[in-house]
Amino acid sequence: MSIDTLEDLYIEQLKDLHSANSQAYKVTKDMAAAATDEDLVAALNAGADGIQRGIDEITSICARHHERPAGEHCKGMEGLVDEARAHAIDESFGEDATRDAMIITQYQRLVHYAIAGYGCLVAFADRLELAEDVAALKTCLDASYEGDRTMTELATSGINADAVA
């Protein structure tokens, strides 16, 4: 596909973020299975649910534009997922809290990528005067920010301190 217009770019980036979210969903579920802190497990499962809602929303947006969300493979997220698996799941840790701190680190990297993607898509949709898309994408963006804030709160309210001990 040739990207000649902002609308072409918008569609391409929707597909890219769909791929990114699909990859992030799987590794988030795996990190939830590896986490030991109950609040972290719950936050990761809630994050996975939010990622799935984002996947569903992007699928709906693509359908409104007579596009299929498949066809792109997000190499950026692929690298982040590989890092999350290597450093949060496959790595050996002496303390569970240290693994949990690493899981938060890796999850926040994933969510920051999603924040960047959603932010760009909101700007594109706004410029293209796609009000319904803007509203849906802003909801996904806000949810991503909330997931990031939740992880920061978990890290700073106890998990990082437990990892130091």
Side-chain angles (χ1 to χ4, degrees):
M1 171 180 154
S2 176
I3 300 175
D4 298 322
T5 66
L6 185 61
E7 186 173 1
D8 294 341
L9 178 58
Y10 177 63
I11 297 299
E12 188 273 337
Q13 287 298 292
L14 282 167
K15 292 177 179 186
D16 188 74
L17 191 54
H18 185 275
S19 170
N21 281 347
S22 297
Q23 294 175 64
Y25 175 82
K26 291 173 188 162
V27 77
T28 298
K29 294 298 277 183
D30 292 345
M31 288 190 294
T36 58
D37 181 270
E38 290 177 18
D39 292 334
L40 177 57
V41 171
L44 288 164
N45 283 324
D49 291 345
I51 293 166
Q52 184 60 57
R53 283 190 299 277
I55 292 167
D56 295 343
E57 197 60 62
I58 291 169
T59 300
S60 294
I61 292 169
C62 286
R64 282 197 297 273
H65 294 277
H66 310 288
E67 295 283 343
R68 292 184 53 236
E72 289 290 324
H73 178 74
C74 182
K75 293 273 193 185
M77 186 57 79
E78 179 182 358
L80 292 171
V81 166
D82 288 347
E83 289 289 311
R85 288 196 185 289
H87 297 296
I89 297 170
D90 297 338
E91 184 70 43
S92 175
F93 290 88
E95 298 293 329
D96 288 343
T98 306
R99 179 184 304 279
D100 287 346
M102 178 58 84
I103 288 170
I104 291 170
T105 300
Q106 296 303 320
Y107 180 82
Q108 285 189 295
R109 289 179 178 168
L110 300 173
V111 80
H112 289 183
Y113 192 92
I115 288 168
Y118 281 122
C120 291
L121 285 169
V122 167
F124 296 159
D126 187 50
R127 181 68 183 112
L128 294 166
E129 300 179 352
L130 302 168
E132 187 177 358
D133 292 9
V134 169
L137 292 165
K138 277 187 177 179
T139 298
C140 294
L141 178 59
D142 291 345
S144 297
Y145 276 121
E146 185 57 34
D148 182 53
R149 284 189 292 270
T150 297
M151 289 299 166
T152 297
E153 177 63 28
L154 286 171
T156 59
S157 69
I159 290 175
N160 288 353
D162 291 345
V164 171

